[in-house]
Amino acid sequence: MSQNQTRASISAIIITKNEEQILPECLASLDWVDEIIVVDSGSTDNTVAIAEQAGAKVFVNAEWPGFGKQKQLAQSHATKDWVLAIDADEVITDALKTSILAVLENPPEKTLFVLRRTTWVFGRFLKHSGWYDKIIRFYPREFTGYNDALVHEKIIEPEGSQKQTLSGDMLHYSYRDLHQYLVKSAFYAKSWADGRQARGKKSSIGQGVTHAIGCFLKMYLLKRGFLDGKQGFLIAVLSAHSTFVKYADLWIRENDSRAQ
């Protein structure tokens, strides 16, 4: 990892659980940062060993607090000027690396940097469908951090902050196969329903149907998923299914007395 003293320093933070498939490529794409912080939530594969072999500082927090708080914990272990938050199934391209290093040569104040992310889904990178997205992942460590969300966590945007988008993509290898998609989808749906239930929210089957149809139409038509070929159609259908499932989960909890 880099020890360049002519620029601002940078920590990469990663949270993991059973990420041995893509993690080596992820870590290899970070060989220029000043430190890598990994917080693992109880992996049973080679994730921890892979991270340690790459020189990362590894911490274990098996009591899962949700995505937001786990990333807060990872950032609390970081010691450098700037933070690059990256998931274990994401890879920084050379073009994006160059953009980040250029910022560190003369870093602005109170600025959050947006990264473009393209996701590999079932044989191709999606450029539409709402899956070629922009996400804040690069920011001054002492300026901000993640919110407390159980799922779909976000960087807090302090008052007076500015945003800039960097050139170069981050590659996201989210799903190896359909089984992994369904497993992840079920986990996200449960986390969503947990959060809504904790706030006293209710749901209905009708809401699930309505939101599922809306999800499909938005992804496939409004977000031009049809330009992503068969993968675009497939991910729109699967996303609609996932949307329905999270509302159905919450409804079941309210109406199945045995689940109480």
Side-chain angles (χ1 to χ4, degrees), residues 84-98:
L84 173 64
I86 181 171
D87 292 342
D89 57 2
E90 295 172 341
V91 175
I92 301 298
T93 60
D94 287 341
L96 181 54
K97 166 188 169 182
T98 299

Side-chain angles (χ1 to χ4, degrees), residues 116-131:
R116 293 185 176 93
R117 180 175 61 171
T118 180
T119 301
W120 179 265
V121 177
F122 308 139
R124 73 185 293 170
F125 282 113
L126 299 185
K127 294 296 185 181
H128 306 280
S129 306
W131 279 44

Side-chain angles (χ1 to χ4, degrees), residues 33-91:
V33 305
D34 299 295
E35 70 175 358
I36 299 175
I37 304 296
V38 172
V39 174
D40 188 78
S41 57
S43 291
T44 56
D45 63 3
N46 294 318
T47 293
V48 170
I50 291 169
E52 290 175 341
Q53 290 167 8
K57 299 175 183 178
V58 181
F59 304 88
V60 176
N61 181 40
E63 296 296 325
W64 178 249
F67 283 95
K69 290 186 177 181
Q70 192 82 330
K71 288 188 176 181
Q72 291 172 15
L73 178 60
Q75 184 166 327
S76 74
H77 292 296
T79 64
K80 306 306 178 183
D81 303 322
W82 285 71
V83 168
L84 173 64
I86 181 171
D87 292 342
D89 57 2
E90 295 172 341
V91 175

Side-chain angles (χ1 to χ4, degrees), residues 150-152 185-203 242-254:
L150 292 175
V151 66
H152 301 313
S185 175
F187 177 76
Y188 289 136
K190 181 181 182 302
S191 296
W192 181 89
D194 286 344
R196 299 279 288 187
Q197 185 178 40
R199 298 194 301 274
K201 301 294 184 180
K202 296 183 179 295
S203 178
S242 299
T243 298
F244 175 78
V245 166
K246 67 184 186 182
Y247 282 92
D249 185 357
L250 185 56
W251 179 83
I252 289 170
R253 298 181 192 199
E254 300 163 15

